[in-house]
Amino acid sequence: MLSIAIAVFASFVAFNLTGRVAAARSRRAAACWLAGSALSMGTGIWAMHFIGMLALKLAIPVFYDLGPTVLSLLIAIGVSAYSLHILNLPSGRKPQLLVAGAVMAGGIVAMHYVGMSALALNPAVTYDSWLVFTSILIAAAASTGALSINRRVRGARAASGLPLRLLGALVMGLSIAGMHYTGMAAAHIPAGAVCITENGVLNAWWLAWAVGGIAFLLLATSFHLSVVDSYLAARSGQHTLELEKVNNDLERKAAELMHANSQLRQEIQERIRSEEKVAYLAYHDTLTSLPNRRMLSSHLLRAMNQAQRHGRMLALLLIDLDRFKTVNDTMGHEAGDQLLQEVATRIRHCLRESDIIARLGGDEFVVLLEDVDAPATVAVVAEKILAVARWPFVIGEQEFYVTASIGVSLFPRDGHNEQSLLRCADVAMYKAKDDGKNAFRFYCNELNEHVIEKLTLETYLRTAIERREISMHYQPKVGLPGGRIVGVEALMRWTHPKLGTVPPTRFIPLAEETRLIHQLGRWAIEESCRQAVAWREQGFGDLNVAVNLSVSQFSDEGLHRDIAAILIETGMDPTRLELEITESMFMDRFEESLKTIVRLKEAGVRIAVDDFGTGFSSLSTLKNLPIDTLKIDGAFVRGLPSDTKDAGITRAIVAMAKTLNVTVVAEAVETEAQRDFLQAASCDQVQGYYYSKPVPAAQLSAMLAAAPAPVPASLA
C-alpha cells in the first residue's frame, strides 16, 4: 500500500510540475520544470519498485547488486523525461501521445526487470511469459491514459485542473503498481534458492528505507515547490486578472477621456468658430459683408499714421445713393437689400486690392484710398463709381435706375481724425446732392460754412411751429369774367426773430430733406381748413382753399387718413379743400399715385395739377386721373399776350381742360393784358400780383369785407 501511495503521489507531483512547463514564459524555465517533473516521476517509480520488493517474503536474506539498481533509477528518470517532453510538444497530435505512452510503459517495464536483475539468486529467477506480456500491456494502456488525462489539463489553472490531475496521477500510480505486481507474479523463485551477490551489495531493508526516505523527501520537496508555485501562479493569475481589469478600466477611461477630449476639441472649435463669427459680425456689415464703421475706424487710424509718417495723402469718399428710398417704397425692403449688395459689388470692382470699402448703414458707403498722389487720382475713382452706379439694376425682372452722390475729403488737408474727415466728406456729399445729384464734390471751407448755416436753419425750423413763427398767407383766386374772389391758395411763411423772413425756397427743401415736411404740411392743411371755416362763419361764403402737397406727403400711405381726420376735426366741407400736386409727383410712380388720388377723392377733396405744362404728362395720362383743376404754369402766362408760342400753348391747355371738364386756373397774372387774354381764352380763374400777393388771413378778411369784386392791387 505504501508503494502504491508513493507511485500515485509521485505521478501527481510529476503531472503538477508538468503543468508548469506549459505555463512557463521562457524555454529555460520550461526545461527546469520538465527536469523536475522527470526527476519526481522517475524517482517515484524507482522508489515504488524497491519499496514494493519489501512485500516479497523470502526465507533467505536478500541483497541487491549496486550496478543494476542505479541503472534502473537512471532508466526511470530518463524515460520519464523523454515521455513528458514528447507530451509537452506544441503540436499536440495523437501519435505523439501514443509514442509518449509507449516510451513511458517501456521505461516502467525496463526499470522493473532491470531492478529485478539486481536480485541475483541461485538457481535463477524464471518468468511466466504471459504475465510478463500482461504487465507490459498494463503499463502501456495505463501510461497512455494517464498521459492523455495530463495533456487535457496541461496549462490549466489549479482550481479547474486539480480533479483531472488527481485522476491522472491515480491512473498512472495504479498502472505502475499493476505492472510491478503483475511482473512479480510472473517471477518464479525456485525453492532453496540462495543470494549469490557478493560485490557492491545493498541490504534490502536498508536500501528500501533509504530509497523511500530519499524519494519521500524529494517528492515532498517537489510537491511543496509545485504547490508554492501553483499558489504563486494563482496569485499571479489573480494579479493578472486584476491588472487586466485595471487595464480594461484604464482603456475604458482612456476611451472616455479620448471621447471627452474629442468633445472638448469640438466644443473648442465651435467656440473658436463662434468667437470668429462674433468678431466677424462685430467688424462687418451683415447685409453686404463689407467692413462696418468699427473696422473702418481701425483701418483709417492705421492709414493716417502711415500717411503722416511717410508724408503721403489719403482720401475718404462718402457715397450716398440717390432715390434709394423710392426703390424701397416701390419694390420693398428685400429689393432694396439686393440693390445695396449689387452696389457694394460694383464699387469693389472699381478699387484696388489695398483700398477699403465700408458700409456705414442705410444707403451710405465709405471708400478709403491710401497713397493718393493728387486729387485728380481720387476724381478718377469717383467718376468710375458714379458710372457703375448709373448702370441699370434688374431685380425681380424689373429694370430701374439709381445714381449716387459722392463727397470727398483729403487727409491731412481737411482733417486729422476720423470725425473731421467724415464730417467734411458728408458736407461735400450734400453739396453734390444740392447741385443736382449724380456727382462728386471735394470739401472746401465754403462748403463748411454752407453746412453750418444749413444745420442752424434746421435747428430753428424744428421749433418754428411751437414758437408760432410759421404762419399761413393766402393769395386770392379770382373767377373770370366776374372778378369775384372764389378761392385762395394757402402758402407758408416763416419769420424768424434773428434771421428775419426766410423764403419758402430755403426752408421747404430743408423740411423735405429732414422729414419735417410731414409735421409742417399737416399743420398747414389743418390751419387752412380752420381759417376757411372761420371765413364761412364770418359770412364770406364758402371759399375753396388750395394747399400744396410735398413729394414726401404725397408718398405717405396714411395721407388720406390724416386729411379725413383734419376735415372732421375742423368741420371743413371736403369739396372746398383742394390739394395741389405737380406732374413729376405722379409721373414717377403713376400706379401708386393713382391709388393715392383715388383715396383722396373718396375723402371728398379736390385734386389740382400745379405748374401744368412743365412736366411730361400726356393726354392719355391726364384722362385717367380723377383731377378737378389744371393750373397753367406762370412761365407761359408771363409772355402773354405778345409771345405767340405762349399764347398758343395757353389756348391749347384751356381747350384741353374744357374737353376734360376740369377747372383751369392761370397763375402769375401781373398785368391787365394778361388778365384780358385769359378771359378771352375762357380761363376759369386767375391769381397773381395783378390782384394781390399772398397776405395774412386778417388782411384777406378785410379784402373780402371791402367789396365782392376787389379792384386790382395796383389801384388799391
Side-chain angles (χ1 to χ4, degrees):
M1 295 302 295
L2 177 61
S3 66
I4 294 174
I6 289 176
V8 172
F9 183 64
S11 299
F12 176 75
V13 172
F15 288 161
N16 205 34
L17 293 177
T18 305
R20 302 305 304 149
V21 176
R25 296 185 178 183
S26 65
R27 296 181 61 183
R28 183 176 181 180
C32 291
W33 284 113
L34 180 62
S37 302
L39 181 61
S40 297
M41 178 167 279
T43 304
I45 295 172
W46 182 73
M48 179 271 164
H49 169 75
F50 281 95
I51 291 174
M53 290 300 293
L54 295 177
L56 179 63
K57 301 297 183 178
L58 295 178
I60 61 174
V62 177
F63 299 93
Y64 294 93
D65 192 353
L66 179 61
T69 301
V70 174
L71 179 61
S72 65
L73 174 61
L74 295 178
I75 292 173
I77 294 174
V79 170
S80 297
Y82 185 73
S83 299
L84 294 177
H85 168 69
I86 295 176
L87 182 66
N88 281 282
L89 290 177
S91 60
R93 295 177 181 177
K94 191 173 181 179
Q96 291 180 353
L97 181 62
L98 296 177
V99 170
V103 171
M104 179 61 75
I108 294 172
V109 171
M111 181 279 303
H112 174 77
Y113 288 105
V114 170
M116 287 294 293
S117 67
L119 181 61
L121 296 177
N122 189 18
V125 178
T126 60
Y127 294 93
D128 187 338
S129 58
W130 286 106
L131 289 177
V132 171
F133 180 71
T134 302
S135 67
I136 295 173
L137 290 180
I138 291 173
S143 298
T144 304
L147 293 177
S148 175
I149 294 173
N150 182 61
R151 164 165 284 184
R152 291 182 59 187
V153 297
R154 184 182 60 180
R157 300 187 187 276
S160 60
L162 181 59
L164 288 178
R165 282 195 178 94
L166 290 174
L167 177 61
L170 182 60
V171 172
M172 178 60 76
L174 292 177
S175 69
I176 297 171
M179 180 272 151
H180 172 79
Y181 289 110
T182 302
M184 289 301 294
H188 294 284
I189 299 176
V194 294
C195 184
I196 61 174
T197 301
E198 295 180 357
N199 297 323
V201 177
L202 296 175
N203 182 271
W205 283 98
W206 180 86
L207 176 63
W209 286 110
V211 168
I214 294 172
F216 178 78
L217 290 176
L218 180 61
L219 292 177
T221 302
S222 299
F223 179 73
H224 178 71
L225 291 175
S226 174
V227 170
V228 171
D229 183 72
S230 298
Y231 171 76
L232 294 177
R235 288 291 300 275
S236 176
Q238 183 178 359
H239 290 163
T240 301
L241 290 176
E242 292 176 354
L243 289 175
E244 289 178 355
K245 182 179 180 181
V246 171
N247 186 55
N248 292 334
D249 291 341
L250 290 176
E251 290 180 352
R252 177 177 56 80
K253 291 180 179 179
E256 293 176 354
L257 183 59
M258 292 180 61
H259 180 68
N261 288 337
S262 176
Q263 288 184 330
L264 183 59
R265 284 195 298 270
Q266 292 178 357
E267 291 177 0
I268 292 174
Q269 292 174 357
E270 185 65 27
R271 182 170 182 177
I272 292 174
R273 285 193 294 268
S274 299
E275 291 176 351
E276 290 175 348
K277 185 176 181 180
V278 169
Y280 180 85
L281 293 176
Y283 290 95
H284 289 80
D285 174 56
T286 56
L287 177 63
T288 60
S289 297
L290 294 177
N292 58 11
R293 178 69 175 267
R294 182 179 295 181
M295 181 174 282
L296 175 66
S297 300
S298 176
H299 281 288
L300 183 57
L301 179 61
R302 177 189 55 79
M304 288 189 295
N305 291 335
Q306 290 186 353
Q308 189 172 17
R309 186 180 303 113
H310 300 290
R312 304 287 292 175
M313 182 171 57
L314 60 85
L316 206 64
L317 284 71
L318 180 61
I319 306 167
D320 187 87
L321 299 181
D322 306 322
R323 300 177 67 250
F324 176 71
K325 184 178 182 301
T326 303
V327 176
N328 256 352
D329 295 341
T330 305
M331 302 291 295
H333 290 285
E334 184 176 354
D337 292 344
Q338 295 182 30
L339 172 63
L340 292 175
Q341 292 170 343
E342 178 63 22
V343 169
T345 301
R346 293 184 183 184
I347 296 176
R348 177 75 265 177
H349 291 321
C350 298
L351 307 176
R352 301 169 298 182
E353 288 294 329
S354 59
D355 298 331
I356 302 297
I357 173 176
R359 180 181 177 226
L360 298 186
D363 58 340
E364 283 190 338
F365 298 87
V366 174
V367 171
L368 173 61
L369 303 179
E370 300 185 49
D371 296 330
V372 175
D373 297 327
T377 305
V378 183
V380 172
V381 177
E383 286 288 1
K384 289 181 180 180
I385 295 174
L386 292 176
V388 298
R390 287 192 295 266
W391 295 348
F393 292 89
V394 179
I395 297 178
E397 299 182 356
Q398 183 171 347
E399 185 178 277
F400 54 92
Y401 297 82
V402 297
T403 56
S405 297
I406 304 176
V408 183
S409 62
L410 300 175
F411 173 87
R413 189 191 74 179
D414 300 328
H416 293 82
N417 54 53
E418 176 188 355
Q419 291 74 21
S420 59
L421 289 175
L422 282 174
R423 180 178 58 81
C424 293
D426 188 65
V427 169
M429 185 269 292
Y430 276 105
K431 176 59 177 174
K433 284 187 178 291
D434 292 341
D435 290 347
K437 304 177 181 179
N438 189 28
F440 70 91
R441 293 290 184 269
F442 283 89
Y443 173 79
C444 62
N445 290 329
E446 291 77 9
L447 289 179
N448 191 35
E449 294 175 1
H450 171 72
V451 169
I452 293 175
E453 178 186 354
K454 185 177 179 182
L455 291 175
T456 303
L457 192 65
E458 178 185 343
T459 303
Y460 290 151
L461 182 59
R462 290 185 181 276
T463 59
I465 296 179
E466 290 80 0
R467 296 180 179 181
R468 304 184 69 83
E469 297 171 1
I470 303 290
S471 62
M472 297 303 299
H473 284 208
Y474 302 92
Q475 186 175 39
K477 290 182 180 180
V478 177
L480 295 177
R484 185 173 63 87
I485 297 178
V486 295
V488 294
E489 180 178 0
L491 300 166
M492 277 189 288
R493 293 294 183 263
W494 181 15
T495 303
H496 190 268
K498 292 183 179 180
L499 302 177
T501 301
V502 183
T505 54
R506 287 187 64 191
F507 74 85
I508 293 298
L510 180 61
E512 282 271 11
E513 182 180 330
T514 59
R515 309 286 293 179
L516 290 172
I517 194 64
H518 291 278
Q519 180 184 1
L520 291 174
R522 194 182 194 285
W523 176 85
I525 296 173
E526 183 177 351
E527 183 67 20
S528 300
C529 289
R530 291 187 188 279
Q531 186 59 58
V533 171
W535 282 327
R536 184 185 63 193
E537 292 175 350
Q538 294 172 16
F540 299 132
D542 290 324
L543 296 176
N544 290 337
V545 179
V547 182
N548 291 282
L549 291 178
S550 68
V551 176
S552 298
Q553 282 182 284
F554 188 66
S555 301
D556 188 359
E557 294 183 355
L559 175 64
H560 64 286
R561 291 189 292 270
D562 290 342
I563 297 297
I566 292 173
L567 293 174
I568 295 174
E569 182 180 350
T570 60
M572 176 71 173
D573 182 1
T575 61
R576 295 301 178 180
L577 177 61
E578 190 169 74
L579 301 176
E580 294 186 1
I581 61 176
T582 63
E583 288 180 272
S584 59
M585 289 167 61
F586 63 78
M587 285 300 296
D588 289 343
R589 301 166 58 234
F590 181 76
E591 295 296 333
E592 290 77 7
S593 300
L594 180 59
K595 293 179 182 178
T596 301
I597 293 173
V598 170
R599 293 192 189 102
L600 293 173
K601 291 294 293 180
E602 291 174 351
V605 301
R606 294 169 59 83
I607 302 296
V609 177
D610 195 12
D611 300 333
F612 184 76
T614 59
F616 301 95
S617 58
S618 61
L619 292 177
S620 61
T621 301
L622 289 175
K623 76 175 183 177
N624 292 323
L625 287 176
I627 61 175
D628 301 284
T629 302
L630 283 179
K631 296 188 70 174
I632 303 174
D633 188 78
F636 303 116
V637 176
R638 293 187 188 96
L640 298 178
S642 58
D643 192 315
T644 56
K645 292 182 179 180
D646 288 342
I649 292 174
T650 301
R651 290 191 186 95
I653 293 174
V654 173
M656 180 183 65
K658 296 298 181 181
T659 302
L660 296 175
N661 195 27
V662 298
T663 301
V664 60
V665 179
E667 54 186 3
V669 176
E670 299 177 352
T671 66
E672 182 178 4
Q674 293 172 345
R675 190 277 313 269
D676 292 341
F677 177 85
L678 292 168
Q679 181 173 325
S682 301
C683 183
D684 296 315
Q685 299 174 14
V686 292
Q687 67 181 92
Y689 280 18
Y690 176 71
Y691 293 100
S692 175
K693 63 181 179 180
V695 296
Q699 187 175 343
L700 187 58
S701 296
M703 293 173 61
L704 291 171
V711 296
S714 59
L715 302 177

